[in-house]
Amino acid sequence: MTLKALIFDVDGTIAETERDGHRVAFNLAFESEGLPWQWDIETYGKLLEIGGGKERLKHFISHYKPDLPQKQPLDSFIRHLHQAKSRYYAKLLASDAIPLRVGVKRLITSARQEGVRLAIASTASEENVRVLLDTSLGQEMASWFEVICAGDMVEKKKPCPDIYLLALEKLNLSASECLAIEDTNQGLRASFGAGLKTVITINDYSKNQEFYRANLVLNHLGESNLPFKVIKGNTYNKSYFDIELAEKILAEI
């Protein structure tokens, strides 16, 4: 089967946005609202088991039981807080504080040159996804992503497969024609549930997770002068991930 599209996760996959972006933005939002909350790196790692920023806030409030301001209903309060967080996140991206992960820009460029379509399947809000793509890649390259499935476009977020199924529907392609690129077991469960072969690039939060359903697990996508480290899978003598390797993985039985 010929590779027709790459479907990227965003946070932690395209850029190290979780630890140095979303977490920092949440803490800035808490401070701006006068809340004595602080999500350290370890706490945020635990909260990442919950897909979606608003859902993460709701889980934190229900399980950690912090003191709440008695100003408005809980759902309204969470929406307001998440909007404030999104504004801080956009400012962090605009300041170039969050670089792309190794090999991402090269792979996107190669896909474009070789006629492989590009899509996004993320639990982040569409606004945050588009800001990241525009600031990190530039608006022209960001426009190469013809399908962006994000945020509240589906009722059930990762690890449910709904966001990937929506991406496949919008691409009008079968799972056998696409390859997913993820960074966590939660994302892998979603892509695998949609029938997609999946490449994992681990990060600090996911490096100890189990990826037995992944077709390939790497520390990053690599460059010609910066080879990846193979954690699991066959790289067919490649030292960096490219379209040729993607097609070989897709052809695996």
Side-chain angles (χ1 to χ4, degrees), residues 35-37 39 57 59-69:
L35 297 167
W37 306 350
W39 287 355
L57 280 167
H59 177 86
F60 173 73
I61 290 168
S62 63
H63 286 74
Y64 290 75
K65 303 195 182 302
D67 292 333
L68 293 172

Side-chain angles (χ1 to χ4, degrees), residues 107-162:
L107 180 60
I108 291 169
T109 302
S110 297
R112 176 73 171 182
Q113 292 170 343
E114 299 189 35
V116 176
R117 300 162 68 189
L118 295 163
I120 293 291
S122 172
T123 56
S125 69
E126 183 177 3
E127 176 190 7
N128 284 344
V129 168
R130 291 189 182 278
V131 168
L132 172 65
L133 295 178
D134 286 346
T135 55
S136 298
L137 298 174
Q139 291 187 348
E140 181 182 357
M141 191 177 292
S143 71
W144 298 350
F145 285 87
E146 60 179 275
V147 167
I148 293 181
C149 296
D152 299 324
M153 292 181 182
V154 293
E155 184 177 348
K156 296 179 180 178
K157 297 186 177 182
K158 298 175 186 178
C160 293
D162 301 37

Side-chain angles (χ1 to χ4, degrees), residues 26 53-54 57 78-86 125 128:
F26 271 118
K54 292 188 288 293
L57 280 167
I78 288 174
R79 281 196 302 272
H80 171 76
L81 198 54
H82 191 262
Q83 287 169 354
K85 172 258 174 182
S86 294
S125 69
N128 284 344

